[in-house]
PDB file of all heavy atoms in Angstrom:
ATOM      1  N   LYS Z 274       0.998 -20.131  13.025  1.00 86.00           N
ATOM      2  CA  LYS Z 274       2.056 -20.218  11.934  1.00 86.00           C
ATOM      3  C   LYS Z 274       2.752 -21.657  12.151  1.00 86.00           C
ATOM      4  O   LYS Z 274       2.659 -22.286  13.215  1.00 86.00           O
ATOM      5  CB  LYS Z 274       3.132 -19.168  12.198  1.00 86.00           C
ATOM      6  CG  LYS Z 274       3.739 -19.188  13.588  1.00 86.00           C
ATOM      7  CD  LYS Z 274       4.522 -17.972  13.857  1.00 86.00           C
ATOM      8  CE  LYS Z 274       5.687 -17.688  12.927  1.00 86.00           C
ATOM      9  NZ  LYS Z 274       6.547 -16.569  13.433  1.00 86.00           N
ATOM     10  N   GLN Z 275       3.336 -22.107  11.157  1.00 85.00           N
ATOM     11  CA  GLN Z 275       4.127 -23.273  11.145  1.00 85.00           C
ATOM     12  C   GLN Z 275       5.557 -22.912  11.493  1.00 85.00           C
ATOM     13  O   GLN Z 275       6.121 -21.951  11.035  1.00 85.00           O
ATOM     14  CB  GLN Z 275       4.113 -23.946   9.695  1.00 85.00           C
ATOM     15  CG  GLN Z 275       4.897 -25.333   9.645  1.00 85.00           C
ATOM     16  CD  GLN Z 275       4.968 -25.851   8.247  1.00 85.00           C
ATOM     17  OE1 GLN Z 275       4.509 -25.265   7.351  1.00 85.00           O
ATOM     18  NE2 GLN Z 275       5.426 -27.080   8.150  1.00 85.00           N
ATOM     19  N   GLY Z 276       6.181 -23.706  12.327  1.00 83.00           N
ATOM     20  CA  GLY Z 276       7.495 -23.399  12.719  1.00 83.00           C
ATOM     21  C   GLY Z 276       7.983 -24.114  13.980  1.00 83.00           C
ATOM     22  O   GLY Z 276       7.381 -25.115  14.446  1.00 83.00           O
ATOM     23  N   ASP Z 277       9.039 -23.563  14.580  1.00 84.00           N
ATOM     24  CA  ASP Z 277       9.681 -24.165  15.760  1.00 84.00           C
ATOM     25  C   ASP Z 277       9.525 -23.127  16.920  1.00 84.00           C
ATOM     26  O   ASP Z 277       9.907 -21.963  16.776  1.00 84.00           O
ATOM     27  CB  ASP Z 277      11.142 -24.441  15.470  1.00 84.00           C
ATOM     28  CG  ASP Z 277      11.888 -25.033  16.719  1.00 84.00           C
ATOM     29  OD1 ASP Z 277      11.256 -25.157  17.780  1.00 84.00           O
ATOM     30  OD2 ASP Z 277      13.038 -25.302  16.568  1.00 84.00           O
ATOM     31  N   ILE Z 278       8.904 -23.585  17.953  1.00 83.00           N
ATOM     32  CA  ILE Z 278       8.585 -22.641  19.060  1.00 83.00           C
ATOM     33  C   ILE Z 278       9.913 -22.011  19.637  1.00 83.00           C
ATOM     34  O   ILE Z 278       9.912 -20.927  20.201  1.00 83.00           O
ATOM     35  CB  ILE Z 278       7.755 -23.321  20.147  1.00 83.00           C
ATOM     36  CG1 ILE Z 278       7.146 -22.274  21.108  1.00 83.00           C
ATOM     37  CG2 ILE Z 278       8.589 -24.315  20.982  1.00 83.00           C
ATOM     38  CD1 ILE Z 278       6.053 -22.836  21.996  1.00 83.00           C
ATOM     39  N   LEU Z 279      10.980 -22.748  19.553  1.00 83.00           N
ATOM     40  CA  LEU Z 279      12.223 -22.267  20.119  1.00 83.00           C
ATOM     41  C   LEU Z 279      12.879 -21.120  19.401  1.00 83.00           C
ATOM     42  O   LEU Z 279      13.719 -20.378  19.890  1.00 83.00           O
ATOM     43  CB  LEU Z 279      13.275 -23.420  20.178  1.00 83.00           C
ATOM     44  CG  LEU Z 279      12.891 -24.643  21.012  1.00 83.00           C
ATOM     45  CD1 LEU Z 279      14.042 -25.710  20.938  1.00 83.00           C
ATOM     46  CD2 LEU Z 279      12.740 -24.201  22.434  1.00 83.00           C
ATOM     47  N   THR Z 280      12.399 -20.885  18.158  1.00 82.00           N
ATOM     48  CA  THR Z 280      12.861 -19.735  17.410  1.00 82.00           C
ATOM     49  C   THR Z 280      12.041 -18.414  17.563  1.00 82.00           C
ATOM     50  O   THR Z 280      12.384 -17.387  17.067  1.00 82.00           O
ATOM     51  CB  THR Z 280      12.901 -20.011  15.877  1.00 82.00           C
ATOM     52  OG1 THR Z 280      11.561 -20.283  15.464  1.00 82.00           O
ATOM     53  CG2 THR Z 280      13.718 -21.285  15.664  1.00 82.00           C
ATOM     54  N   GLU Z 281      10.899 -18.501  18.399  1.00 82.00           N
ATOM     55  CA  GLU Z 281      10.059 -17.352  18.553  1.00 82.00           C
ATOM     56  C   GLU Z 281      10.667 -16.514  19.694  1.00 82.00           C
ATOM     57  O   GLU Z 281      11.057 -16.932  20.808  1.00 82.00           O
ATOM     58  CB  GLU Z 281       8.653 -17.816  19.031  1.00 82.00           C
ATOM     59  CG  GLU Z 281       7.910 -18.598  17.932  1.00 82.00           C
ATOM     60  CD  GLU Z 281       7.696 -17.735  16.676  1.00 82.00           C
ATOM     61  OE1 GLU Z 281       7.326 -16.608  16.800  1.00 82.00           O
ATOM     62  OE2 GLU Z 281       7.964 -18.289  15.538  1.00 82.00           O
ATOM     63  N   CYS Z 282      10.757 -15.192  19.390  1.00 79.00           N
ATOM     64  CA  CYS Z 282      11.234 -14.217  20.370  1.00 79.00           C
ATOM     65  C   CYS Z 282      10.006 -13.680  21.142  1.00 79.00           C
ATOM     66  O   CYS Z 282       9.462 -12.667  20.722  1.00 79.00           O
ATOM     67  CB  CYS Z 282      11.999 -13.077  19.651  1.00 79.00           C
ATOM     68  SG  CYS Z 282      12.790 -11.894  20.600  1.00 79.00           S
ATOM     69  N   ILE Z 286       6.930 -19.096  26.894  1.00 88.00           N
ATOM     70  CA  ILE Z 286       6.702 -20.213  26.042  1.00 88.00           C
ATOM     71  C   ILE Z 286       5.929 -21.269  26.884  1.00 88.00           C
ATOM     72  O   ILE Z 286       6.235 -21.608  27.982  1.00 88.00           O
ATOM     73  CB  ILE Z 286       8.015 -20.829  25.655  1.00 88.00           C
ATOM     74  CG1 ILE Z 286       8.701 -19.869  24.626  1.00 88.00           C
ATOM     75  CG2 ILE Z 286       7.851 -22.167  24.925  1.00 88.00           C
ATOM     76  CD1 ILE Z 286      10.107 -20.384  24.185  1.00 88.00           C
ATOM     77  N   VAL Z 288       4.788 -25.137  26.870  1.00 79.00           N
ATOM     78  CA  VAL Z 288       5.087 -26.439  26.257  1.00 79.00           C
ATOM     79  C   VAL Z 288       4.381 -27.528  27.089  1.00 79.00           C
ATOM     80  O   VAL Z 288       4.268 -27.398  28.318  1.00 79.00           O
ATOM     81  CB  VAL Z 288       6.573 -26.699  26.245  1.00 79.00           C
ATOM     82  CG1 VAL Z 288       7.348 -25.808  25.280  1.00 79.00           C
ATOM     83  CG2 VAL Z 288       7.224 -26.597  27.643  1.00 79.00           C
ATOM     84  N   SER Z 294      10.442 -33.955  23.466  1.00 53.00           N
ATOM     85  CA  SER Z 294      11.174 -33.539  22.301  1.00 53.00           C
ATOM     86  C   SER Z 294      11.868 -32.296  22.446  1.00 53.00           C
ATOM     87  O   SER Z 294      12.740 -31.956  21.670  1.00 53.00           O
ATOM     88  CB  SER Z 294      10.216 -33.508  21.062  1.00 53.00           C
ATOM     89  OG  SER Z 294       9.283 -32.511  21.328  1.00 53.00           O
ATOM     90  N   VAL Z 295      11.655 -31.546  23.620  1.00 58.00           N
ATOM     91  CA  VAL Z 295      12.346 -30.270  23.821  1.00 58.00           C
ATOM     92  C   VAL Z 295      13.120 -30.385  25.137  1.00 58.00           C
ATOM     93  O   VAL Z 295      12.551 -30.663  26.163  1.00 58.00           O
ATOM     94  CB  VAL Z 295      11.345 -29.145  23.934  1.00 58.00           C
ATOM     95  CG1 VAL Z 295      12.028 -27.826  24.093  1.00 58.00           C
ATOM     96  CG2 VAL Z 295      10.464 -29.123  22.697  1.00 58.00           C
ATOM     97  N   SER Z 299      17.508 -26.377  25.925  1.00 67.00           N
ATOM     98  CA  SER Z 299      17.081 -25.595  24.794  1.00 67.00           C
ATOM     99  C   SER Z 299      16.074 -24.550  25.135  1.00 67.00           C
ATOM    100  O   SER Z 299      16.018 -23.490  24.684  1.00 67.00           O
ATOM    101  CB  SER Z 299      16.454 -26.605  23.723  1.00 67.00           C
ATOM    102  OG  SER Z 299      17.453 -27.514  23.233  1.00 67.00           O
ATOM    103  N   LEU Z 300      15.177 -24.948  26.064  1.00 63.00           N
ATOM    104  CA  LEU Z 300      14.139 -24.007  26.595  1.00 63.00           C
ATOM    105  C   LEU Z 300      14.763 -22.885  27.313  1.00 63.00           C
ATOM    106  O   LEU Z 300      14.402 -21.729  27.131  1.00 63.00           O
ATOM    107  CB  LEU Z 300      13.192 -24.709  27.448  1.00 63.00           C
ATOM    108  CG  LEU Z 300      12.171 -25.714  26.790  1.00 63.00           C
ATOM    109  CD1 LEU Z 300      11.385 -26.544  27.827  1.00 63.00           C
ATOM    110  CD2 LEU Z 300      11.287 -24.983  25.857  1.00 63.00           C
ATOM    111  N   THR Z 303      16.266 -19.942  25.283  1.00 61.00           N
ATOM    112  CA  THR Z 303      15.391 -18.951  24.621  1.00 61.00           C
ATOM    113  C   THR Z 303      15.299 -17.667  25.513  1.00 61.00           C
ATOM    114  O   THR Z 303      14.960 -16.629  25.019  1.00 61.00           O
ATOM    115  CB  THR Z 303      14.018 -19.509  24.431  1.00 61.00           C
ATOM    116  OG1 THR Z 303      13.384 -19.701  25.786  1.00 61.00           O
ATOM    117  CG2 THR Z 303      13.970 -20.780  23.660  1.00 61.00           C
ATOM    118  N   ALA Z 349       4.159 -17.819  23.176  1.00 90.00           N
ATOM    119  CA  ALA Z 349       4.044 -18.783  22.114  1.00 90.00           C
ATOM    120  C   ALA Z 349       3.673 -20.089  22.760  1.00 90.00           C
ATOM    121  O   ALA Z 349       4.166 -20.473  23.822  1.00 90.00           O
ATOM    122  CB  ALA Z 349       5.312 -18.883  21.359  1.00 90.00           C
ATOM    123  N   ILE Z 350       2.746 -20.803  22.102  1.00 91.00           N
ATOM    124  CA  ILE Z 350       2.290 -22.095  22.529  1.00 91.00           C
ATOM    125  C   ILE Z 350       2.295 -23.123  21.430  1.00 91.00           C
ATOM    126  O   ILE Z 350       2.072 -22.700  20.321  1.00 91.00           O
ATOM    127  CB  ILE Z 350       0.898 -22.000  23.234  1.00 91.00           C
ATOM    128  CG1 ILE Z 350       0.401 -23.325  23.793  1.00 91.00           C
ATOM    129  CG2 ILE Z 350      -0.115 -21.435  22.233  1.00 91.00           C
ATOM    130  CD1 ILE Z 350      -0.792 -23.247  24.584  1.00 91.00           C
ATOM    131  N   THR Z 351       2.681 -24.377  21.734  1.00 86.00           N
ATOM    132  CA  THR Z 351       2.740 -25.357  20.673  1.00 86.00           C
ATOM    133  C   THR Z 351       1.920 -26.560  21.033  1.00 86.00           C
ATOM    134  O   THR Z 351       1.637 -26.807  22.268  1.00 86.00           O
ATOM    135  CB  THR Z 351       4.189 -25.684  20.367  1.00 86.00           C
ATOM    136  OG1 THR Z 351       4.188 -26.550  19.137  1.00 86.00           O
ATOM    137  CG2 THR Z 351       4.829 -26.459  21.480  1.00 86.00           C
ATOM    138  N   GLN Z 353       1.933 -30.625  21.321  1.00 60.00           N
ATOM    139  CA  GLN Z 353       2.755 -31.814  21.192  1.00 60.00           C
ATOM    140  C   GLN Z 353       2.135 -32.985  22.044  1.00 60.00           C
ATOM    141  O   GLN Z 353       2.700 -34.031  22.182  1.00 60.00           O
ATOM    142  CB  GLN Z 353       4.185 -31.586  21.704  1.00 60.00           C
ATOM    143  CG  GLN Z 353       5.004 -30.678  20.783  1.00 60.00           C
ATOM    144  CD  GLN Z 353       6.363 -30.410  21.260  1.00 60.00           C
ATOM    145  OE1 GLN Z 353       6.849 -30.916  22.348  1.00 60.00           O
ATOM    146  NE2 GLN Z 353       7.155 -29.675  20.465  1.00 60.00           N
ATOM    147  N   ARG Z 384       0.979 -16.455  20.010  1.00 91.00           N
ATOM    148  CA  ARG Z 384       1.274 -17.206  18.741  1.00 91.00           C
ATOM    149  C   ARG Z 384       1.089 -18.731  18.989  1.00 91.00           C
ATOM    150  O   ARG Z 384       1.629 -19.287  19.877  1.00 91.00           O
ATOM    151  CB  ARG Z 384       2.702 -16.939  18.310  1.00 91.00           C
ATOM    152  CG  ARG Z 384       2.978 -15.448  18.169  1.00 91.00           C
ATOM    153  CD  ARG Z 384       4.522 -15.129  17.959  1.00 91.00           C
ATOM    154  NE  ARG Z 384       4.824 -13.793  18.388  1.00 91.00           N
ATOM    155  CZ  ARG Z 384       6.059 -13.348  18.434  1.00 91.00           C
ATOM    156  NH1 ARG Z 384       7.100 -14.183  18.139  1.00 91.00           N
ATOM    157  NH2 ARG Z 384       6.293 -12.175  18.863  1.00 91.00           N
ATOM    158  N   ILE Z 386       1.961 -22.180  17.502  1.00 90.00           N
ATOM    159  CA  ILE Z 386       2.938 -22.720  16.587  1.00 90.00           C
ATOM    160  C   ILE Z 386       2.674 -24.203  16.339  1.00 90.00           C
ATOM    161  O   ILE Z 386       2.555 -24.959  17.227  1.00 90.00           O
ATOM    162  CB  ILE Z 386       4.426 -22.636  17.215  1.00 90.00           C
ATOM    163  CG1 ILE Z 386       4.656 -21.227  17.790  1.00 90.00           C
ATOM    164  CG2 ILE Z 386       5.468 -23.037  16.194  1.00 90.00           C
ATOM    165  CD1 ILE Z 386       4.572 -20.148  16.807  1.00 90.00           C
ATOM    166  N   LEU Z 387       2.478 -24.552  15.082  1.00 88.00           N
ATOM    167  CA  LEU Z 387       2.031 -25.871  14.676  1.00 88.00           C
ATOM    168  C   LEU Z 387       3.138 -26.485  13.758  1.00 88.00           C
ATOM    169  O   LEU Z 387       3.762 -25.742  13.019  1.00 88.00           O
ATOM    170  CB  LEU Z 387       0.659 -25.911  14.040  1.00 88.00           C
ATOM    171  CG  LEU Z 387      -0.421 -25.343  14.995  1.00 88.00           C
ATOM    172  CD1 LEU Z 387      -1.720 -25.219  14.222  1.00 88.00           C
ATOM    173  CD2 LEU Z 387      -0.633 -26.296  16.195  1.00 88.00           C
ATOM    174  N   ALA Z 388       3.182 -27.845  13.758  1.00 83.00           N
ATOM    175  CA  ALA Z 388       4.246 -28.438  12.941  1.00 83.00           C
ATOM    176  C   ALA Z 388       3.863 -28.682  11.491  1.00 83.00           C
ATOM    177  O   ALA Z 388       4.684 -28.678  10.609  1.00 83.00           O
ATOM    178  CB  ALA Z 388       4.572 -29.775  13.589  1.00 83.00           C
TER     179      ALA Z 388
END
Side-chain angles (χ1 to χ4, degrees):
K274 60 196 294 189
Q275 182 185 7
D277 181 358
I278 197 169
L279 297 180
T280 64
E281 295 299 313
C282 185
I286 290 177
V288 291
S294 60
V295 183
S299 296
L300 290 171
T303 65
I350 183 170
T351 189
Q353 290 180 359
R384 307 171 203 170
I386 313 301
L387 300 170

